[in-house]
Amino acid sequence: MAIPASFIQELLARVDVVEIVGRYVPLKKSGANFMGLCPFHGEKSPSFSVSPTKQFYHCFGCGKSGDAIRFLMEHAGMSFVEAVQDLAGQYGLQVPEEDMPPAERERQAQARQKHHTLTDVLEKAGEAFRKQLKGSPRAVAYLKGRGLSGEIAKRFGLGYAPEGWRTLASVFPSYDDPLLEESGLVIVHEEDSKRYDRFRDRIMFPIRNVKGECIGFGGRVLGDEKPKYLNSPETPVFSKGRELYGLFEARQALREAGYVLVTEGYMDVVALAQLGFPNAVATLGTACTTDHVQKLFRFTDAVVFSFDGDEAGRRAARKALDGALPYATDTRSVKFLFLPPEHDPDSYIREHGRDAFARYVGEAVPLSRFLVECAREGCRLDEAEGRAHMAANAKPLWTQLPDGALKRQLLAEIAQLAQLEPGELAQLWGVSAPPGMRRRASAEAPRPPRRPGRTLPPGRADRALQICFLNPGAWDALSNADHHLLCELAPPYGPLFSWLDSQVHEHGEQPWQALAAAIEGHEQAAFLRNHLAQVLPDIEHDLQELHHILRMEHDRRLAEERMELSARAATDPAAYERLKQLWAASKGTHS
């Protein structure tokens, strides 16, 4: 979304930075300015100054400074567009969008209105659940039995959904209101259209976005009934693959602790807050995604994933590794904490103490070590076959890392385990070895020069580009291997697919009109616009065709690799072992 600079200036002229900052930070008048404790770092004496005349904030302790938009981005974790929209909404302004058709502008306005309406409905339900908790000795006793205080229950807005089937009928004027179903609060039976409450006889955990709006609920039974946990369904305001429980409540604690602890359930989050670790968040019944990781890195540069030490915990950690790899830059830290199988964070702290848990967190496994452990799992490194298998396992993990010192060090470490030179391993993987790691020219067999980037046969790259940019759901429907294949293509295609990948990571699915506005200024933007303008209006951009194109390309590249390896297998043991793996995999696929 492209927002005119003139509107940004108008918005900042109307906004009072003291009012905006004061909603999050207690401020006191001090001369011409206002002072308070800095929300970006821990301090005991106020060094955070907000100037009403300059409409600017500045911390003399940590150096953070900016205007109202920057404050919402830094403190609330909003993107630039989200911060502008939030401020505009508070001051009754409509955000104009350059180069966007009126129909799309109207659609987005309706979506924003729907968002506010649904969050209002959910907030009203949350208030009702909190009142019900006060009147339920059984629910209060359950929370006390779990060691939770009234203060923690209030901080997280915990409530209780009674046993009745239609309790919410007494909360809302019309139980038949479609918003109750759309918000996930009410279920409508398909056969007879009867309506009933989704959450019954459960402790209720409000799920909030980074703005503090209630966007859904998690409910836990008080006994051993199944399912133990129940979340709101996917709605226009709630997507479990992008939201994290407790992030809104933990924002300040993340900055003070210097890291975020990602757990497996919302009960873990409130229990950890009670026991002195308010910097915990939880995924919502789904594996950790790249969207989760990206959101966390808006608030902190250090993430520690906490999992049970059993096999299920290791599988969950493996999925979290996939989500974290694309964002594991040299300035960020990602670690994995595996508790003993008999413990969750709550029970471990209660048995061993807070300091022991803090030490456990400090000794968590770094991403680099966990990546290598995943690659070598089940591989005998005392055998050539095992080392080759390990290297093959490591490639899809290593390639997801952003370029930097960490990626280069891991290439060297993996190569050492495989008993290869880093340049040899890079050559085997079909990637460029960093300077200083390339094999000496005298040790290399002569090879034809490679063109920069890979290419697709004529027509395939064009069609893939059309489908991915004109079908909003296409990119998310592809695998990581497909993403890498497309992003590695030679210009102009590879850079365009790489831009689309980052755009989807940042903003989710978007129609072509929004993408066209956002890509303005990209060096390949003109090529993309001209290319897509030639597409006939009645052409369908279905995923089946895209999957077929990519499957053909994967098969073609596999055949090329086999031919190349066959030519080297007689004199290159590594090439021979890799060739054996490819043929074995091919037999397994077609058996």
Side-chain angles (χ1 to χ4, degrees):
M1 177 189 296
I3 302 174
S6 59
F7 176 79
I8 302 298
Q9 294 172 356
E10 178 188 356
L11 178 63
L12 290 175
R14 294 198 186 191
V15 165
D16 181 3
V17 71
V18 176
E19 179 186 356
I20 299 302
V21 174
R23 295 173 184 173
Y24 301 90
V25 181
L27 298 173
K28 290 184 178 181
K29 193 78 165 64
S30 178
N33 299 327
F34 289 80
M35 299 293 293
L37 295 176
C38 179
F40 303 112
H41 78 287
E43 63 178 8
K44 295 182 179 179
S45 299
S47 62
F48 184 74
S49 173
V50 184
S51 170
T53 55
K54 298 179 181 178
Q55 286 297 299
F56 210 71
Y57 67 86
H58 178 77
C59 177
F60 296 96
C62 66
K64 291 278 189 180
S65 61
D67 54 25
I69 296 175
R70 173 58 57 182
F71 181 82
L72 290 180
M73 293 174 66
E74 293 279 355
H75 186 263
M78 299 181 192
S79 66
F80 175 78
V81 173
E82 289 172 340
V84 171
Q85 289 177 339
D86 184 79
L87 286 174
Q90 293 182 45
Y91 287 84
L93 299 177
Q94 179 70 37
V95 180
E97 295 143 7
E98 294 178 337
D99 303 326
M100 184 166 290
E104 176 62 19
R105 190 176 297 128
E106 176 63 23
R107 187 195 68 79
Q108 293 197 7
Q110 291 176 358
R112 285 193 291 271
Q113 181 58 46
K114 173 71 73 174
H115 175 98
H116 292 308
T117 303
L118 289 176
T119 54
D120 287 345
V121 168
L122 290 161
E123 191 59 56
K124 187 173 183 178
E127 292 175 3
F129 293 144
R130 287 189 284 274
K131 290 180 181 178
Q132 291 286 352
L133 176 62
K134 294 178 181 178
S136 173
R138 176 167 160 264
V140 171
Y142 172 82
L143 293 177
K144 288 183 176 179
R146 295 296 301 262
L148 300 181
S149 65
E151 180 184 350
I152 287 294
K154 182 178 180 180
R155 183 193 306 177
F156 287 90
L158 304 189
Y160 173 65
E163 296 181 80
W165 288 84
R166 294 167 61 92
T167 301
L168 292 177
S170 63
V171 176
F172 294 93
S174 173
Y175 195 65
D176 293 327
D177 189 337
L179 290 173
L180 296 183
E181 180 186 2
E182 195 170 355
S183 64
L185 292 170
V186 165
I187 296 175
V188 179
H189 198 276
E190 293 183 1
E191 296 181 0
D192 54 15
S193 298
K194 287 186 177 179
R195 306 167 74 87
Y196 56 93
D197 293 357
R198 179 180 300 274
F199 300 100
R200 304 179 305 280
D201 193 25
R202 290 176 180 269
I203 298 294
M204 299 299 290
F205 298 78
I207 302 166
R208 304 189 182 281
N209 61 18
V210 292
K211 299 179 186 178
E213 299 169 326
C214 183
I215 56 175
F217 291 96
R220 192 202 191 284
V221 296
L222 279 69
D224 296 323
E225 299 86 352
K226 303 294 182 183
K228 181 184 293 186
Y229 294 99
L230 181 66
N231 289 327
S232 289
E234 299 278 315
T235 71
V237 297
F238 174 63
S239 172
K240 63 183 180 182
R242 295 182 179 178
E243 302 298 338
L244 290 152
Y245 177 74
L247 181 57
F248 174 75
E249 291 82 0
R251 292 169 306 158
Q252 182 63 28
L254 300 189
R255 297 185 175 95
E256 293 174 354
Y259 72 95
V260 60
L261 185 64
V262 185
T263 65
E264 297 186 84
Y266 25 74
M267 201 66 208
D268 289 332
V269 173
V270 294
L272 282 167
Q274 180 71 61
L275 295 169
F277 291 88
N279 55 318
V281 301
T283 53
L284 294 156
T286 184
C288 188
T289 66
T290 51
D291 288 323
H292 288 141
V293 176
Q294 184 186 37
K295 183 168 287 190
L296 289 171
F297 278 133
R298 290 182 184 178
F299 294 90
T300 180
D301 288 328
V303 177
V304 179
F305 293 102
S306 174
F307 297 101
D308 295 339
D310 55 14
E311 187 60 31
R314 302 287 295 192
R315 287 196 300 270
R318 179 64 176 79
K319 292 178 180 178
L321 175 66
D322 285 330
L325 284 170
Y327 298 102
T329 64
D330 293 344
T331 58
R332 292 168 175 166
S333 168
V334 179
K335 294 184 177 183
F336 297 83
L337 174 67
F338 297 99
L339 292 169
E342 68 274 13
H343 280 298
D344 57 23
D346 181 13
S347 65
Y348 187 92
I349 296 173
R350 293 187 187 280
E351 181 172 332
H352 298 284
R354 177 181 172 181
D355 291 343
F357 184 74
R359 286 194 298 272
Y360 213 86
V361 170
E363 297 167 359
V365 179
L367 175 142
S368 57
R369 195 196 318 164
F370 187 52
L371 184 153
V372 173
E373 288 178 4
C374 290
R376 66 185 295 174
E377 186 174 5
C379 302
R380 293 193 55 176
L381 299 188
D382 59 339
E383 297 176 351
E385 291 84 353
R387 293 191 294 273
H389 191 183
M390 180 276 301
N393 290 343
K395 180 183 176 181
L397 301 174
W398 182 86
T399 53
Q400 292 185 68
L401 285 166
D403 190 30
L406 175 63
K407 188 172 187 176
R408 298 184 183 193
Q409 291 178 77
L410 274 170
L411 179 65
E413 183 175 346
I414 295 166
Q416 184 178 18
L417 289 172
Q419 296 186 12
L420 296 170
E421 293 294 327
E424 289 179 310
L425 183 60
Q427 187 181 75
L428 182 64
W429 283 354
V431 298
S432 298
M437 285 189 174
R438 299 187 179 97
R439 298 179 62 193
R440 292 185 300 273
S442 60
E444 289 188 7
R447 299 187 53 149
R450 296 178 63 96
R451 289 178 295 175
R454 301 293 297 266
T455 59
L456 282 174
R460 289 188 196 170
D462 295 328
R463 194 69 189 108
L465 195 71
Q466 293 166 3
I467 296 173
C468 287
F469 274 85
L470 296 178
N471 183 335
W475 193 256
D476 270 342
L478 300 180
S479 67
N480 284 336
D482 293 334
H483 289 165
H484 290 308
L485 185 153
L486 293 172
C487 291
E488 291 171 358
L489 293 177
Y493 301 99
L496 286 171
F497 284 120
S498 296
W499 178 87
L500 179 62
D501 183 58
S502 63
Q503 190 74 5
V504 173
H505 275 312
E506 178 71 24
H507 304 291
E509 296 179 6
Q510 293 178 292
W512 162 238
Q513 293 87 346
L515 293 174
I519 202 171
E520 191 67 35
H522 190 281
E523 61 180 346
Q524 306 295 349
F527 169 84
L528 179 66
R529 282 196 303 272
N530 294 335
H531 185 68
L532 298 188
Q534 301 172 17
V535 179
L536 297 176
D538 57 345
I539 295 292
E540 293 186 4
H541 308 289
D542 64 348
L543 296 179
Q544 186 175 358
E545 180 184 2
L546 180 60
H547 285 305
H548 178 67
I549 290 171
L550 293 169
R551 185 165 57 251
M552 292 176 63
E553 180 59 18
H554 283 301
D555 290 344
R556 184 177 74 89
R557 294 191 178 186
L558 187 59
E560 286 182 354
E561 185 179 3
R562 285 179 185 149
M563 291 180 62
E564 181 183 359
L565 292 171
S566 296
R568 297 162 44 207
T571 58
D572 187 343
Y576 175 71
E577 295 300 332
R578 174 61 177 160
L579 186 62
K580 283 173 56 179
Q581 291 177 6
L582 292 181
W583 282 118
S586 175
K587 291 178 182 178
T589 302
H590 296 97
S591 61

